[in-house]
Amino acid sequence: MEARKLAQMIDHTLLAPEATMADVERLCAEAVELQVGAICISPSLLPIAKGALPSSINVAAVVGFPSGAHSPETKAVEAKQACDHGANEIDMVVNLAFVSNSNWDAVTSEVATVRAAISANVVLKVIIESALWTDQQIIAVCSAAVLGGANFVKTSTGFHKSGGASLAAVRLMRKTVGNSIGVKASGGIRTYADAIAMIEAGANRIGASASRAILAEAQ
C-alpha cells in the first residue's frame, strides 16, 4: 500500500498522561507533515490551537479512558465537552465489567447514552479491549456496541495489561460487524508490516503513535 493511502487510515495518537499542549503542537505538525487521517488525544488537551490542523485531518478524543469504569452519564458529558472543544470523533472505552458479566443490554445502553450526547455526524468508536475476551464475548460486545450506535469498534486502549490488537481479534470483529461498521486496530502497532497485516485482517483504521516510522517504511 502506498504511503499516502496508508496515512489516511492512521489516527496519529498521543495519549501519554503527562502529555502537554506543546506535545500536542508537535503532534499536529507531524500530522500535517505525514498527511494522516486524524489525531487522537486526551480531551483535556482540547481545544487545539487555531490553524494547527487543516479541516482534512480529524480530531479524535478519548472518553472513559483508559479504564472504561466511568458512569455512562460521565462518559456522555466528557464526549459532549470534547466535541464542543473541537473533536469530531470520539473513542470511548466500554465498561469492561459489563462485558465480564455478559450484560449486553448495559453495553448497548451506555453506548447509546454517549451517542445521544453528541452530534449524529461525530464518529463514535467503541474500545472493547479485545485481548481480554473469548471469541463469544468479542462477538457479543461488538454487536451490543453497534446496536447502541457505534460507527466503529476498536480493539484496545494500548494501556491494558492484557495486550493490544491481534489479527485474530480484528478478523472476528470485522466478521461480526460486517462492512457497514468500521474496525480500528490499536495497541502495539509499530511497523509497516504490523499495519498492513491489520488492514488485511479487516481494519480500516489504525491507531498508532509510531506513525512516522510506519510511513517511512511504506516509502
Side-chain angles (χ1 to χ4, degrees):
M1 182 178 291
E2 65 176 18
R4 183 179 295 272
K5 183 177 179 182
L6 177 57
Q8 288 297 301
M9 301 174 74
I10 290 177
D11 289 4
H12 190 36
T13 301
L14 173 67
L15 293 172
E18 69 276 15
T20 66
M21 290 304 299
D23 295 321
V24 174
E25 290 174 7
R26 286 187 285 271
L27 182 83
C28 290
E30 282 190 336
V32 172
E33 178 188 351
L34 298 173
Q35 299 181 55
V36 296
I39 63 166
C40 184
I41 60 176
S42 299
S44 61
L45 296 171
L46 293 168
I48 61 171
K50 187 175 181 180
L53 288 177
S55 60
S56 59
I57 297 178
N58 292 317
V59 177
V62 293
V63 163
F65 196 89
S67 72
H70 310 63
S71 72
E73 294 77 17
T74 298
K75 292 178 185 179
V77 169
E78 190 175 26
K80 183 180 185 305
Q81 288 179 340
C83 293
D84 288 346
H85 292 153
N88 56 5
E89 300 192 353
I90 295 294
D91 290 31
M92 69 167 282
V93 187
V94 76
N95 188 312
L96 303 179
F98 293 163
V99 184
S100 185
N101 291 332
S102 300
N103 194 345
W104 310 122
D105 287 343
V107 171
T108 296
S109 178
E110 77 158 353
V111 174
T113 297
V114 174
R115 176 79 271 173
I118 58 180
S119 171
N121 61 6
V122 172
V123 173
L124 178 58
K125 312 185 199 102
V126 176
I127 306 169
I128 68 166
E129 293 292 13
S130 56
L132 269 173
W133 312 120
T134 66
D135 285 0
Q136 290 74 21
Q137 288 170 311
I138 289 173
I139 291 168
V141 69
C142 287
S143 299
V146 172
L147 190 61
N151 302 112
F152 273 76
V153 288
K154 176 178 170 181
T155 59
S156 323
T157 60
F159 282 72
H160 200 281
K161 63 184 179 181
S162 63
S166 71
L167 295 175
V170 171
R171 289 189 191 100
L172 182 57
M173 291 163 72
R174 172 54 67 199
K175 182 178 179 181
T176 299
V177 301
N179 294 325
S180 62
I181 300 296
V183 174
K184 179 176 172 180
S186 64
I189 301 171
R190 300 185 179 90
T191 68
Y192 173 76
D194 290 340
I196 293 301
M198 292 295 172
I199 291 166
E200 289 178 344
N204 56 321
R205 284 282 192 99
I206 300 293
S209 56
S211 311
R212 182 180 292 280
I214 290 168
L215 293 171
E217 292 178 14
Q219 297 291 345

